Amino acid sequence: MWLFLLLLATPLIEIALFIQVGGVIGLWPTLAIVVLTAALGTMMLRQQGARAMDQLRRSFQELRDPAEPLAHGAMILFSGALLLTPGFFTDAVGFALLIPAVRAAAYRWLSRRMVVQTATFTSTGAGPRRPDPHGPDIIEGDFEELDRTRPRNDGPSGWTQH
């Protein structure tokens, strides 16, 4: 229910802010601010996104829990969506999420409300290993039937030359 209320309230807040700001400074300055915040947000988004990717790579290399860098990356992605949405309220929330201290506080708040039941790490990076259902003597593969009636440029072994 709270998500429905948020989705309903956000456009109403944006419309009210557009009317208020537009009434004070005029139409063109209001539109210029919206475009300027989108451009500034895009630049900040690139910088913060690159930093989050570096932290994620480092956590994988050091075999640490990647939950926090992944959460920061998700918040940065969400912030980008908010910054590309025209409006003052969504821009304010989007810019707030680009501040590392705000993301850290949001992560702490969220992590207290979630519990990870299982996590598996492997040094190969291939993910959890599953037993092979076919056993070691089975080799899977694909095949293609060839039409031997047409002439081919095969070598002495029968393989096509490329």
Side-chain angles (χ1 to χ4, degrees):
M1 187 64 174
W2 62 270
L3 184 61
F4 172 73
L5 292 175
L6 181 68
L7 290 174
L8 181 66
T10 300
L12 296 175
I13 293 169
E14 293 293 5
I15 290 168
L17 286 172
F18 270 125
I19 291 171
Q20 291 296 317
V21 172
V24 172
I25 65 172
L27 172 67
W28 294 111
T30 303
L31 293 177
I33 289 172
V34 169
V35 171
L36 182 66
T37 57
L40 181 63
T42 301
M43 290 181 346
M44 290 178 68
L45 185 67
R46 284 184 182 178
Q47 178 191 29
Q48 294 292 322
R51 188 175 299 156
M53 284 300 296
D54 287 341
Q55 290 172 349
L56 182 61
R57 278 190 206 103
R58 208 173 15 250
S59 72
F60 282 132
Q61 288 171 351
E62 297 171 1
L63 296 176
R64 288 183 293 119
D65 182 16
E68 188 170 0
L70 283 171
H72 280 266
M75 286 187 266
I76 290 169
L77 183 65
F78 184 64
S79 129
L82 290 174
L83 288 169
L84 291 176
T85 303
F88 294 106
F89 176 69
T90 53
D91 284 351
V93 174
F95 278 121
L97 285 175
L98 286 180
I99 300 170
V102 172
R103 287 196 313 268
Y107 176 75
R108 283 191 305 272
W109 182 80
L110 287 170
S111 65
R112 280 182 290 208
R113 284 154 181 75
M114 291 186 218
V115 177
V116 176
Q117 303 241 337
T118 60
T120 305
F121 295 98
T122 62
S123 61
T124 62
R129 298 196 185 274
R130 295 186 180 129
D132 186 8
H134 302 295
D137 297 332
I138 304 296
I139 300 173
E140 290 189 33
D142 295 320
F143 69 95
E144 178 181 331
E145 290 188 33
L146 300 176
D147 182 14
R148 290 289 186 179
T149 58
R150 63 183 179 148
R152 297 178 46 168
N153 188 12
D154 291 347
S157 67
W159 289 95
T160 303
Q161 296 177 353
H162 295 281

